[in-house]
Amino acid sequence: MRAANWKDYELIDTGSGERLERWKDIILIRPDPQIIWKSDKKDPRWRTADARYKRSSSGGGQWQVYKKIPDAWSIGWNDLTFRVKPMGFKHTGIFPEQAVNWEFAAEKIKASGRTGENRPKILNLFGYTGCATLACLQAGAHVTHVDASKGMVQWGKENAQASGLADAPMRWLVDDCSKFVLREQRRGNKYDGIIMDPPSYGRGPGGEVWKLEEQLYGLVEMCLPILSDDPLFFILNSYTAGLSPAVMEYLLTTLIKPKFGGHVHGEEIGLPVTRTGLVLPCGSTVIWEK
């Protein structure tokens, strides 16, 4: 699946471990370990970019800013507005390849025909800066957005404000996703759709080590009791190399299909590269839908 409906974002070229990207009017160069091929880098924007993220041999890295750029600026997608901020570890606050999942969720919500008090309830776990949350809100859902980072949740609220959705029916929660789901089980709360984009690796507040390959089955399993009797979808995304679409498809098929029927499909997602017309793979998504 390729995310091709962008106007304010463009993956111009790739080569020698780097992406050349346009974020509205600002050109950034960022590293990407999957880009193992070389490029002639004939596009002049390789040499006139506004900023470049350079990795350090000792770990981490930093932005090299060649031209004055704002601390943050806005880009648009389907009448939504997202704030872009060059962050540590090369990130910008948006994963543009995820637009295929935002579109899918929005279409399922609209197609459900449920409105008002009956509107679909969606849970966005590891919600990051809220792009998926806003797509679901705009489509007419009530969304609960959960992320352990206070800064990311605040960023999501800024995106909602910029998109004119600050008063839409939603909950912004700073919480551990696993603990939140267990509490929702005890409360008897249910959701018509769940979006899950967990990190590959991390540490909890008590120093607990999180490895997605070891935690994912249990995390999906604990979400089953909080799905409604007639759910719309379950979206599972991963950037972990060891979790292929086939592995995640097997997982959702064995956990969700026996209870709810429906079907499961998964594949790599990616971004079209303007110079070559090829697609840069950017992780995997597997979807269960009714």
Side-chain angles (χ1 to χ4, degrees):
M1 294 187 289
R2 61 170 69 189
N5 292 331
W6 282 98
K7 294 181 181 178
D8 283 354
Y9 172 83
E10 177 188 7
L11 180 51
I12 302 165
D13 194 11
T14 63
S16 304
E18 292 183 310
R19 302 180 179 196
L20 177 67
E21 302 171 299
R22 178 179 61 82
W23 297 85
K24 201 167 187 178
D25 300 322
I26 294 176
I27 305 299
L28 301 179
I29 298 174
R30 296 191 296 157
D32 189 321
Q34 289 198 107
I35 301 173
I36 61 174
W37 51 88
K38 293 183 179 180
S39 166
D40 54 25
K41 295 191 175 181
K42 288 184 177 179
D43 192 298
R45 287 170 287 187
W46 281 108
R47 294 174 293 282
T48 61
D50 296 282
R52 182 184 221 139
Y53 187 89
K54 291 289 288 184
R55 291 196 186 280
S56 167
S57 58
S58 59
Q62 63 181 356
W63 286 96
Q64 297 180 343
V65 180
Y66 305 126
K67 302 175 186 177
K68 185 174 177 59
I69 61 174
D71 293 334
W73 65 97
S74 297
I75 68 172
W77 178 82
N78 280 15
D79 298 325
L80 294 173
T81 299
F82 305 137
R83 301 282 283 160
V84 177
K85 303 176 189 178
M87 304 158 57
F89 195 62
K90 78 177 183 179
H91 290 164
T92 62
I94 300 173
F95 291 90
E97 63 274 8
Q98 288 295 323
V100 292
N101 290 329
W102 310 337
E103 287 179 337
F104 170 84
E107 288 168 4
K108 293 293 285 187
I109 290 164
K110 292 174 183 175
S112 73
R114 306 178 196 175
T115 59
E117 293 299 316
N118 265 337
R119 71 179 71 215
K121 292 177 63 180
I122 307 299
L123 174 60
N124 187 11
L125 294 171
F126 309 95
Y128 198 47
T129 60
C131 297
T133 293
L134 299 186
C136 293
L137 283 170
Q138 188 183 56
H142 179 287
V143 185
T144 297
H145 175 110
V146 185
D147 197 282
S149 168
K150 184 178 180 180
M152 293 301 105
V153 171
Q154 178 58 38
W155 195 334
K157 292 179 180 179
E158 293 172 10
N159 285 336
Q161 183 74 39
S163 297
L165 292 170
D167 297 323
M170 64 182 134
R171 294 191 294 165
W172 298 99
L173 301 174
V174 180
D175 206 342
D176 177 272
C177 289
S178 299
K179 293 176 181 177
F180 173 79
V181 169
L182 291 174
R183 287 198 300 274
E184 290 294 85
Q185 286 185 22
R186 294 193 293 270
R187 295 168 182 143
N189 288 336
K190 303 282 186 178
Y191 295 90
D192 301 301
I194 294 177
I195 301 168
M196 185 187 294
D197 189 3
S200 298
Y201 179 85
R203 289 188 179 274
E208 312 92 334
V209 175
W210 163 276
K211 290 185 179 179
L212 185 58
E213 297 97 321
E214 298 173 4
Q215 307 289 337
L216 186 58
Y217 183 92
L219 185 57
V220 174
E221 187 177 38
M222 73 170 63
C223 286
L224 297 184
I226 65 171
L227 282 168
S228 67
D229 293 336
D230 188 22
L232 300 174
F233 59 78
F234 193 112
I235 299 173
L236 176 60
N237 189 78
S238 171
Y239 291 93
T240 303
L243 289 173
S244 68
V247 168
M248 296 196 299
E249 190 170 337
Y250 198 101
L251 187 151
L252 290 194
T253 299
T254 56
L255 282 174
I256 300 181
K257 273 192 73 174
K259 184 174 181 180
F260 296 103
H263 66 280
V264 178
H265 53 93
E267 56 187 303
E268 285 188 328
I269 57 174
L271 292 165
V273 182
T274 301
R275 190 185 73 85
T276 63
L278 300 173
V279 176
L280 175 68
C282 302
S284 302
T285 290
V286 174
I287 296 172
W288 170 87
E289 60 180 309
K290 203 62 176 284

